[in-house]
């Protein structure tokens, strides 16, 4: 079979692609403690972003630039006004582990389709059933594989054409609602650190029904608002689920058996590229090397939008959290007692701040730093944190899911926020009700 004509490679893009690949390899090396330079990953990724800066779409470039400028300014102010000790060599490290995971996930494109462009098989599942399939597929698989599932499902849907607003909303809400209960989400890892005495069984008893309600709300609302007769959904057939389920099983095998000390994000970062390489090796080492080379020169530089947004958002988060920590370093607590009223107020504050552009992790971390919770109150705090994360990431224009959708599929973060305001309002009412019921049961 003759080789497909290769696109012209710009040397600057080739160098940036090599740096991005180096960042991934260095991140994987850090999992084994074989690489001593702590900041090498971030330096590779930021240098690649600088090389690709002029190629980033103007809207994305402007947003990323503002995020970076604010984050850097807050670090300077924290140092000057509050004498905060800043680890200046490490200020670029924020979100690099997420970016490394995204780069690793991109190698999914090398799995299958070894001889040509794949085509969607058969007639697509559409309408309410299709939307339910999309939400359920992203939710169930995303509860284990996190953000990588959005790309698995989204790229499969995109084979039939550019993603529509209902499809993007299904991806957004399917993943974000898993934060309500999944023990493998980054949100749960953060909350377990901040509230180590929480009762997970209680969280599951309230979070899982809320997540199912979010799914029914999504299907009902989008079916009412949009004409979905021609909108393809994700089919939960064995064929379509084979790769995601296989990946999920491998992740669980490594998490519980082979590498129990590594987080899910870390396992995904090295496992998916490894599986991609192994799937190509039967075609021969030269074939495999050629595909990796082409992926590095073309696909990795094309990720410049999402990489720049995540890196600059990480710098903003680091600057803001450092400034707040320096400004609020005192012995007072926000609430003398953390009851339902205080929990509802905290939930609303975090969701509103997320809609204004702050990642929920900032609000959750700041709230935890201003509370002194005994064991009995930690479960309520944990639920507030997880619920605000789930609702806040769906509506927040700078959340991980919306940054990914913006960088990968070109949708505006403000557009996603506008379409999710009604959803967030209804979910807020449900969460408030759950807080009241939980308080009565604790």
């Amino acid at each position: 079979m003759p080789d497909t004509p290769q696109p012209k490679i710009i040397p600057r893009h080739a160098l940036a692609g090599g740096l991005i690949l180096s960042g991934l390899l260095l991140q994987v090396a850090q999992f084994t403690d074989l690489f001593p330079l702590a900041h090498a990953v971030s330096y590779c990724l930021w240098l690649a972003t600088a090389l690709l800066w002029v190629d980033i779409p103007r809207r994305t470039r402007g947003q990323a630039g503002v995020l970076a400028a604010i984050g850097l300014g807050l670090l300077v102010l924290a140092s000057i006004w509050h004498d905060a000790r800043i680890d200046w060599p490490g200020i670029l490290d924020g979100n690099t582990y997420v970016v490394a995971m995204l780069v690793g996930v991109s190698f999914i494109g090398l799995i299958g389709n070894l001889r040509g462009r794949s085509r969607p098989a058969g007639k697509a599942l559409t309408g309410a059933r299709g939307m339910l399939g999309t939400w359920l597929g992203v939710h169930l698989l995303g509860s284990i594989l996190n953000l990588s599932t959005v790309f698995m499902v989204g790229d499969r849907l995109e084979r039939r054409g550019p993603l529509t607003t209902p499809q993007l909303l299904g991806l957004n809400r399917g993943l974000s609602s898993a934060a309500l209960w999944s023990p493998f989400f980054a949100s749960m890892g953060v909350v377990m650190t901040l509230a180590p005495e929480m009762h997970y069984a209680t969280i599951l008893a309230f979070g899982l029904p809320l997540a199912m309600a979010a799914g029914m709300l999504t299907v009902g609302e989008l079916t009412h608002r949009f004409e979905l007769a021609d909108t393809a959904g994700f089919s939960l057939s064995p064929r379509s689920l084979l790769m995601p389920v296989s990946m999920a099983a491998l992740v669980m095998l490594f998490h519980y058996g082979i590498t129990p000390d590594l987080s899910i994000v870390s396992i995904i970062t090295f496992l998916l590229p490894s599986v991609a390489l192994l799937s190509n090796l039967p075609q021969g080492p030269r074939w495999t090397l050629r595909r990796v080379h082409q992926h590095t020169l073309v696909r990795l530089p094309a990720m410049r939008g999402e990489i720049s947004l995540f890196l600059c958002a990480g710098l903003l988060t680091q600057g803001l959290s450092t400034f707040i920590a320096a400004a609020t370093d005192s012995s007072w607590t926000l609430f003398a007692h953390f009851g339902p009223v205080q929990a509802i107020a905290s939930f609303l504050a975090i969701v509103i701040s997320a809609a204004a552009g702050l990642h929920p992790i900032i609000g959750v971390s700041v709230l935890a730093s201003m509370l002194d919770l005994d064991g009995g109150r930690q479960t309520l705090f944990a639920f507030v944190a997880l619920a605000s994360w789930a609702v806040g990431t769906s509506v927040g224009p700078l959340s991980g899911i919306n940054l990914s959708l913006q960088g990968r599929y070109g949708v505006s973060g403000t557009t996603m926020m506008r379409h999710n305001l009604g959803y967030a309002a209804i979910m807020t009412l449900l969460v408030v009700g759950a807080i009241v019921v939980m308080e009565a049961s604790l």
Side-chain angles (χ1 to χ4, degrees), residues 190-215:
V190 171
V191 169
M192 285 180 174
T193 301
L194 298 175
E197 296 182 42
M198 76 168 196
H199 296 142
Y200 175 71
T202 302
I203 297 296
L204 184 65
F206 284 85
L208 189 57
L210 268 179
M212 296 301 103

Side-chain angles (χ1 to χ4, degrees), residues 123-133 160 228-234:
K123 184 178 179 181
L125 191 65
T126 59
R129 290 181 60 196
M131 184 53 59
L132 177 61
R160 298 182 178 272
L228 302 180
D230 297 323
T231 301
F234 181 70

Side-chain angles (χ1 to χ4, degrees), residues 92-159:
L92 301 180
D93 289 348
N95 280 349
T96 52
Y97 69 98
V98 179
V99 173
M101 185 198 75
L102 295 176
V103 174
V105 168
S106 73
F107 281 83
I108 290 176
L110 302 184
I111 300 177
N113 189 21
L114 297 178
R115 290 299 183 186
R117 183 177 177 84
S118 63
R119 296 174 298 176
K123 184 178 179 181
L125 191 65
T126 59
R129 290 181 60 196
M131 184 53 59
L132 177 61
T134 298
W135 185 92
L136 196 58
V138 174
H139 186 83
L140 294 179
L141 296 171
S143 66
I144 299 174
L145 295 179
N146 291 263
L147 197 56
S148 59
T149 306
V150 171
F151 302 138
M152 287 184 181
V153 176
D155 288 357
R156 181 177 292 273
L157 294 177
E158 196 179 32
R159 294 176 187 174

Side-chain angles (χ1 to χ4, degrees), residues 295-311:
H295 188 81
T296 302
L297 297 184
V298 178
R299 178 69 188 96
L300 296 188
M303 297 178 65
R304 52 189 174 266
E306 53 202 292
I307 289 176
S308 64
L309 284 171
F310 270 101
L311 290 178

